[in-house]
Amino acid sequence: MTMPAEFGTFFLPGPTEVRAEVLEAMIHPMIPHRGKAYEALHARIVAGLQGVFRTQRPVYLMSCSASGAMEMAIRGAPEGPILSLVNGAFSERFALIAQSCDRSTRVLSVPPGDTPHLEQVEEALVNGGAEGAAFAAVTVVHSETSTGALSDIRAITELAHRHGAMCLVDSVTGVGGAPVETDAWGLDFVLTGSQKALALPPGLAFAVASEAFVLQASVSIGRGRYLDVVEYEEFARRSQTPTTPALSLLFAADVQLSAIRHEGIGARWARHAEMLECTERWVEGLRAGGLGVGLVPRPGERSPTVSTIALPAGLDAKRIVARVAELGYVIGGGYGALKESTIRIGHMGDHSIDTLEPCLEAVGRALHGR
Ligand SMILES: *Cc1c(COP(=O)(O)O)cnc(C)c1O
């Protein structure tokens, strides 16, 4: 895929660089959202997303940011206590959403940069929640964008199922960049946002719920209305959404998903894996040169879409980000607990090693105070 000349400057871990062709798709005139033309658009986007999520289930097109889909997952989750696996700021947000929806929630934390420890998860599942009640659901973040750690959502889903719980997966910086096999891994609920690895403008969330998830939700109370998974499922059957969709963003999604289908999801995953390897080699090179930097997560637990780099003592994240911006690249500062001590590079969406390498070179210059 050829990129416009100005492409390659935006390496924020969301929103990510959006190609001109995708932005231009948004000037499409409005269409009625109850009608054949909309239904065809909706069906095409869903088919594209089914290839991305690797599912036969309908993909819900939600006109809200990804947090809306997180709340949908919680609102529709089976009755009973929720176990929230927390290893950074976004997994903490999932726990807070559960708590603020009045769900009995137990938080199982590991330090930022780690991934949930499977033995601890199993132990928690065995012990249960308040008064020993079995957990009904587990929340987990696939790619923790605040630290760059990639959790084994397949293993965690298996564990949850073995103990009678459903697994709700935030894969906002996973889907479209890291392998996700919704059906083969039996994910009960998995969600993403438009502005991360799918390289779309912000404003859409995409979610898939298993048949079992929807079935149990249909007889539960307290699902609310606006984010009701059962409503979305019913409207999905007619290729519609319950309320007026953000049409302009859907025109953009249509164009981008056709490009993603053309690239192939396997090739897209491989391209992201290469960008992580490229970043790892670059960090090794800096270390070999005597600079005390390091990637926050352990090898083998690193997200292919976002790298969080711990800075040497004395270097301030804000200054580095500002210097890199002067050199022409937008990267992220630290997030949450790692705000001042780390920088984050979002190597996702339509980026490749070719666009990433000059960015890393600029970050290298900034780190060396040049
Ligand atoms: C960006 C992000 C979110 C939140 O997305 P919004 O679109 O701002 O609601 C949630 N989880 C993860 C892992 C993210 O990276």
Side-chain angles (χ1 to χ4, degrees), residues 1 23 42 47 56 126 143 149 210 215 220 238 249 258 260 312 315 318 320 322 336 349-350 364:
M1 208 173 356
L23 291 173
H42 186 111
Q56 302 290 315
V126 168
S143 165
S210 68
L215 194 66
S220 78
R238 324 170 221 153
L249 292 170
S258 130
I260 291 174
L315 281 192
K318 239 193 264 155
I320 299 294
D350 291 334

Side-chain angles (χ1 to χ4, degrees), residues 24-335:
E24 281 158 14
M26 290 193 289
I27 63 175
H28 192 292
M30 292 304 119
I31 58 172
H33 64 284
R34 304 286 181 225
K36 288 278 168 277
Y38 176 78
E39 286 168 14
L41 170 74
H42 186 111
R44 253 193 334 271
I45 294 171
V46 169
L49 286 168
Q50 283 173 322
V52 170
F53 278 87
R54 310 270 289 165
T55 185
Q56 302 290 315
R57 294 279 305 145
V59 181
Y60 310 134
L61 311 185
M62 304 176 69
S63 297
C64 58
S65 85
S67 302
M70 294 166 86
E71 188 152 333
M72 174 191 265
I74 297 294
R75 291 245 171 210
E79 273 174 68
I82 291 179
L83 176 63
S84 282
L85 310 182
V86 172
N87 62 330
F90 290 102
S91 40
E92 188 175 17
R93 180 184 300 187
F94 220 168
L96 287 172
I97 291 173
Q99 284 159 352
S100 55
C101 288
D102 221 12
R103 301 294 305 248
S104 158
T105 308
R106 159 132 193 250
V107 172
L108 181 61
S109 294
V110 293
D114 278 17
T115 58
H117 303 168
L118 294 183
E119 332 72 61
Q120 287 181 3
V121 177
E122 173 130 54
E123 194 190 328
L125 286 165
V126 168
N127 291 337
E131 286 149 32
F135 284 110
V138 175
T139 67
V140 61
V141 168
H142 184 200
S143 165
E144 190 24 283
T145 317
S146 63
T147 69
L150 189 78
S151 292
D152 188 346
I153 52 170
R154 182 186 196 172
I156 290 165
T157 299
E158 266 171 30
L159 266 182
H161 288 177
R162 215 177 302 145
H163 295 276
M166 286 192 167
C167 196
L168 319 179
V169 179
D170 165 342
S171 184
V172 177
T173 50
V175 169
V180 171
E181 295 281 0
T182 299
D183 290 355
W185 297 349
L187 308 181
D188 299 288
F189 195 103
V190 56
L191 68 102
T192 190
S194 51
Q195 79 278 25
K196 306 278 170 90
L198 296 173
L200 283 165
L204 294 174
F206 306 119
V208 180
S210 68
E211 243 175 271
F213 185 92
V214 179
L215 194 66
Q216 63 74 32
S218 68
V219 292
S220 78
I221 51 162
R223 304 194 305 273
R225 188 70 177 179
Y226 193 58
L227 300 171
D228 180 6
V229 68
V230 178
E231 280 277 294
Y232 268 86
E233 178 79 13
E234 276 169 17
F235 278 83
R237 285 198 201 108
R238 324 170 221 153
S239 294
Q240 289 188 6
T241 52
T243 55
T244 317
L247 288 166
S248 309
L249 292 170
L250 291 178
F251 292 128
D254 191 23
V255 167
Q256 178 65 343
L257 284 161
S258 130
I260 291 174
R261 192 202 300 254
H262 193 256
E263 178 180 23
I265 193 66
R268 197 174 177 85
W269 293 342
R271 178 163 56 75
H272 282 83
E274 279 171 15
M275 288 194 280
L276 169 61
E277 283 159 24
C278 174
T279 308
E280 289 178 323
R281 279 195 304 274
W282 168 78
V283 169
E284 279 314 306
L286 291 175
R287 290 172 66 88
L291 203 63
V293 291
L295 286 163
V296 171
R298 274 182 278 276
E301 297 186 353
R302 293 173 183 161
S303 171
T305 64
V306 54
S307 289
T308 300
I309 296 141
L311 298 174
L315 281 192
D316 174 59
K318 239 193 264 155
R319 289 229 182 113
I320 299 294
V321 171
R323 176 67 189 130
V324 173
E326 281 171 12
L327 296 170
Y329 298 91
V330 180
I331 61 165
Y335 199 101

